[in-house]
Structure formats: C-alpha cells, structure tokens
Amino acid sequence: MRCYANQLPSELNKGLKPFYLVFGEEPFQEAQCVQQIRDCAKQQGFDEVIKFTLMQGFDWQGIIAQYQSMSLFSARTIIELDLNQQKPGVIGSNTFKKVVELVNPDTILIVKGAKASQEVQRGAWFKALDKLGVFVPCYPLTGSHVKRWLDEQCQRLSLNMQSDAKVSLINATEGNLLACFQELEKLSLLHGNALITQQLVMQGLLNQAKFDIFDLSDALLNGHAKQAIKVLNKLASDNTEVVSILWAITKELNTLISVQLGLLNGEPIANLFKQKAIWKNQQGPVQNAINRLNMHTLEQINSDVALFDASYKQGNLIAPYQALAHICIKFCQPLNIPMPCHAVN
C-alpha cells in the first residue's frame, strides 16, 4: 500500500504493518519516516533495532536468521535494511519473498532504498512486501510542496511564523529539508510560540557563518579539494555532527549518480535538473561535477560512503573526520588510499 511521507503518522495510528518500504531521493524525509516508524513501534514493545547495509559479499541468509530468531533482550525487534542505492538481485529478491512467507508478528522489517522506479515496483519481491506492508515514497520537494511541508513542521513544533519569514527560510536553505528543520527546531527552542519574524529568521541564519555544510557541498561539486578540507576542519572544530556532514555528502552523491544515470539513458540535462529539483544556482556546480566524475568514480565514492556508514554505526572507524576527509578528497581528485577504518565484521 502506498502512503506518502506526510500521511505516514496517521497511517501508523491505524496499526503497525510487518513491512515498510521507505524509498526515495530525499534523505531527510526518509530518515524522518523511519524514525516515526521506530517511535510508533517502540510504544508497542519493539525495543530492539538491528541494522544491515547491503554491501559486496552481503550475507542475505543473515536477514532470514535474524527475522526468525527471538532476541535475548526483547520479544519484539525492528530490522532495518539499507539497500545502499542498489537492487537486491536474485538472492535478495528470493530472501524478501521467503520473509513474507515467514511473517513474524514480533518483527518489523524496514527496507530503505533509492527512488523506486516502475521497474522496481513491478518486481515480485517488492509486490510481496508491499501487499502486506506500506510503501513510503520520499520525493524531493519543490515549490508549493516545500511550503506545505514547512507549514506542517511549524504546526508540529507549535511555531507561529510570519509568511515572509517562511519564504526567507525556504530561499536560504534552497530545498535542504534537514537544514530547514534544524532552523525550525532552534527557533522553537529560542522563541517558543512567540511570533517569528523575517528579521529573527535572517539573524539566526547569519549567525551560522552562512551554512558551512552548504559550503562543503559547493566545494565538493566544484572539485575544490583545499576548500573542502578547510570547511571540513571548521565543521570539526565546531563539533558538527558527523551524521549531518555525511548527510550533505550523501545528498550530493545521490544527485550526481541520478543525473549521470539519466544522461546515460539519453535524457537532456535540462530535463534532469528539473526532475531532480536542482536549483538554478546549483546547476553550474552540478554540471562541473558531472563533467569531472564518471559513473565508475561515483560508484567508488558510493562504496566508501556505505563503508563509512556501516563502520560508524558499528564503532569501527578510527577517526570519523579523517574518513570524511578521505571521501571529500575523492570527490575532487583520484585517491587510491584506503579509507581509515577497521575491517567491518
């Protein structure tokens, strides 16, 4: 059953499903939807969360084993599987169909992935999970959809924000829902339900050194290695959350992969800019990156990002910011040095 991101809370109130397919190109919405599922499930005794990431040599049998097993600490478990921008393949497809046959009321399976094309949605494994579960597509938001999303977040946070203040915030964050939401949370903490004016919004934005994470994105897209490391050093000195930096890198990487795939399929670049909601002032940097990074290089960076994510979650990273620097440099120039982390068990 299809359920859009803004409809998920009301859908969860009707009762939990055994399977959730959260797919799309908007990472903040994806993360928010997964968290909403977790929170709702936790209220019903699903206290343990086990995470898997699809990587080379992935053991699909582990999904079935975990799905059938009873936890030592909790009677109810959530399994999260990140497909890591990949398709499950024959073995994965068969695994999903097997899991559907073994439906376990004490286990919820959440599958995360890139945008689910019509080809993916027609797959037998997808249909099997969707029939008993919920499919949540997370699309990039533009125009009136961004404003509607902002209105919903303001209502949820009990924020009283003027219309021109909302417009300024949307323009400043340029479709980056994570940055926009973080600003809303700060405004909520600082001002409660007091009236939020345009002046208050702009003052808060200026105090952030003009969004250093966005500066990192620009440096990566334009291939400016020295600038990227300079910004990363600033973010590290400010104790910026590692996951926030990784989000910014992943967002740009997913965009570039998606555009390159479109170009390989013969789609005009102008159409792709429109489809992927790439703002006009970002089209030049994205074009620079596309000219510099072929699909093979992007796939290598994607593998490094997946390794970073898995290693960080498992506590195997020697130095997270050093590993991020490795990924940043790879965006800008060839780098054959392995990423600094222990082997993932």
Side-chain angles (χ1 to χ4, degrees):
M1 181 189 71
R2 182 187 295 260
C3 168
Y4 293 104
N6 63 335
Q7 300 170 329
L8 183 59
S10 59
E11 179 60 35
L12 290 170
N13 287 335
K14 298 175 185 176
L16 289 168
K17 302 290 186 182
F19 309 114
Y20 289 90
L21 297 155
V22 185
F23 281 64
E25 300 172 298
E26 211 306 300
F28 175 76
Q29 281 191 97
E30 179 187 281
Q32 193 174 50
C33 288
V34 170
Q35 189 59 55
Q36 288 170 353
I37 297 167
R38 279 198 216 113
D39 291 343
C40 182
K42 188 173 183 179
Q43 293 173 6
Q44 299 185 40
F46 290 83
D47 295 321
E48 186 174 16
V49 178
I50 298 173
K51 299 183 179 183
F52 294 91
T53 300
L54 180 57
M55 300 178 68
Q56 188 174 4
F58 182 75
D59 181 12
W60 283 98
Q61 189 60 38
I63 296 288
I64 294 177
Q66 188 60 58
Y67 192 80
Q68 292 179 297
S69 70
M70 291 292 290
S71 169
L72 295 174
F73 308 104
S74 169
R76 317 193 87 182
T77 303
I78 299 171
I79 299 174
E80 289 183 22
L81 171 60
D82 186 349
L83 293 180
N84 189 27
Q85 309 293 315
Q86 302 178 60
K87 294 180 180 179
V90 175
I91 298 176
S93 300
N94 291 336
T95 299
F96 286 135
K97 287 185 278 188
K98 180 68 174 177
V99 166
V100 171
E101 296 172 1
L102 300 170
V103 172
N104 182 351
D106 293 322
T107 304
I108 292 173
L109 174 63
I110 302 173
V111 182
K112 302 186 296 183
K115 179 181 178 181
S117 64
Q118 289 300 314
E119 179 188 357
V120 170
Q121 293 181 47
R122 286 194 293 266
W125 67 271
F126 192 98
K127 288 182 177 179
L129 293 172
D130 185 34
K131 185 175 181 180
L132 298 180
V134 176
F135 166 41
V136 188
C138 298
Y139 300 115
L141 302 183
T142 58
S144 61
H145 297 290
V146 178
K147 186 179 184 306
R148 190 178 304 120
W149 173 86
L150 180 57
D151 289 339
E152 291 169 357
Q153 303 308 313
C154 286
Q155 183 177 6
R156 193 173 72 81
L157 294 169
S158 299
L159 270 175
N160 180 18
M161 184 179 289
Q162 289 182 336
S163 295
D164 57 355
K166 291 179 180 179
V167 172
S168 294
L169 183 56
I170 289 172
N171 289 339
T173 52
E174 297 181 340
N176 186 326
L177 300 190
L178 175 61
C180 189
F181 184 74
Q182 288 176 335
E183 281 306 302
L184 292 175
E185 285 191 315
K186 290 177 187 175
L187 290 168
S188 178
L189 290 171
L190 291 171
H191 306 291
N193 59 3
L195 181 64
I196 306 297
T197 64
Q198 184 183 42
Q199 183 179 1
L200 285 175
V201 169
M202 297 310 296
Q203 183 179 2
L205 296 176
L206 290 172
N207 287 340
Q208 288 187 67
K210 299 181 180 178
F211 291 98
D212 282 328
I213 280 185
F214 297 156
D215 292 336
L216 178 63
S217 295
D218 285 341
L220 295 179
L221 291 175
N222 286 303
H224 298 158
K226 287 182 67 175
Q227 178 65 11
I229 298 305
K230 179 181 178 181
V231 175
L232 185 60
N233 277 329
K234 174 67 164 55
L235 294 171
S237 66
D238 290 342
N239 294 316
T240 303
E241 287 284 348
V242 167
V243 290
S244 294
I245 302 173
L246 184 65
W247 176 89
I249 294 172
T250 303
K251 177 179 179 294
E252 303 305 342
L253 178 62
N254 290 344
T255 296
L256 296 177
I257 290 174
S258 182
V259 171
Q260 278 286 25
L261 286 173
L263 291 173
L264 290 172
N265 289 328
E267 296 184 56
I269 188 70
N271 290 356
L272 291 169
F273 284 154
K274 185 175 181 180
Q275 291 172 20
K276 310 304 176 186
I278 299 173
W279 297 70
K280 189 171 183 178
N281 64 340
Q282 282 297 300
Q283 291 176 7
V286 169
Q287 183 70 70
N288 289 340
I290 289 299
N291 294 341
R292 187 178 69 256
L293 302 168
N294 59 29
M295 200 64 204
H296 176 69
T297 303
L298 290 172
E299 287 173 349
Q300 286 184 327
I301 298 172
N302 194 41
S303 295
D304 281 350
V305 168
L307 178 59
F308 180 99
D309 186 51
S311 300
Y312 186 72
K313 290 173 181 175
Q314 297 178 30
N316 292 319
L317 276 179
I318 298 171
Y321 290 107
Q322 184 179 338
L324 286 171
H326 174 95
I327 294 172
C328 288
I329 292 173
K330 211 161 188 177
F331 258 91
C332 304
Q333 62 190 52
L335 185 67
N336 295 319
I337 304 170
M339 194 164 68
C341 63
H342 297 298
V344 179
N345 299 322

